[in-house]
Amino acid sequence: MGLWHWLFGRHEPRPPRPDRVVELAWLPLWQAQLVLHHLWEAEIPVTMSEDHTAMYRFGAREPMARLYVMEVRLAAAREVMAELDVRP
């Protein structure tokens, strides 16, 4: 048990909020576009943001994109991505 939990106790995780957008994945641009359309076909609204500066970092050598979903649909979106064998 860490010092934080000893001082402040454990808190229950908060329930997902329907008005909050969260990041689903950070993928190569070509792969993000394929996953985006697959999630749309699964009736999960998702949006994509291209990350043009990713190639200047050591984590990625190609253009990358971030996928965002509503927090209440995050678990369903992760299940669909697991079916595709995509790891964010």
Side-chain angles (χ1 to χ4, degrees):
M1 184 157 75
L3 179 63
W4 183 267
H5 293 295
W6 182 73
L7 291 175
F8 301 105
R10 293 182 184 234
H11 300 285
E12 294 295 322
R14 62 174 175 72
R17 296 184 306 195
D19 61 339
R20 186 168 181 215
V21 176
V22 294
E23 182 177 329
L24 173 63
W26 187 54
L27 300 169
L29 184 59
W30 66 271
Q31 191 176 21
Q33 292 172 347
L34 298 173
V35 171
L36 179 85
H37 289 285
H38 188 73
L39 288 168
W40 284 344
E41 290 175 358
E43 298 181 358
I44 298 173
V46 61
T47 187
M48 180 180 75
S49 171
E50 296 180 14
D51 190 356
H52 295 287
T53 62
M55 61 194 82
Y56 300 122
R57 293 185 230 144
F58 292 110
R61 300 271 183 202
E62 58 188 333
M64 302 289 281
R66 297 182 189 274
L67 297 177
Y68 298 96
V69 295
M70 299 302 290
E71 190 175 18
V72 292
R73 296 191 171 147
L74 182 62
R78 286 185 175 157
E79 288 176 11
V80 170
M81 287 183 63
E83 292 172 4
L84 292 174
D85 196 26
V86 175
R87 295 177 188 97

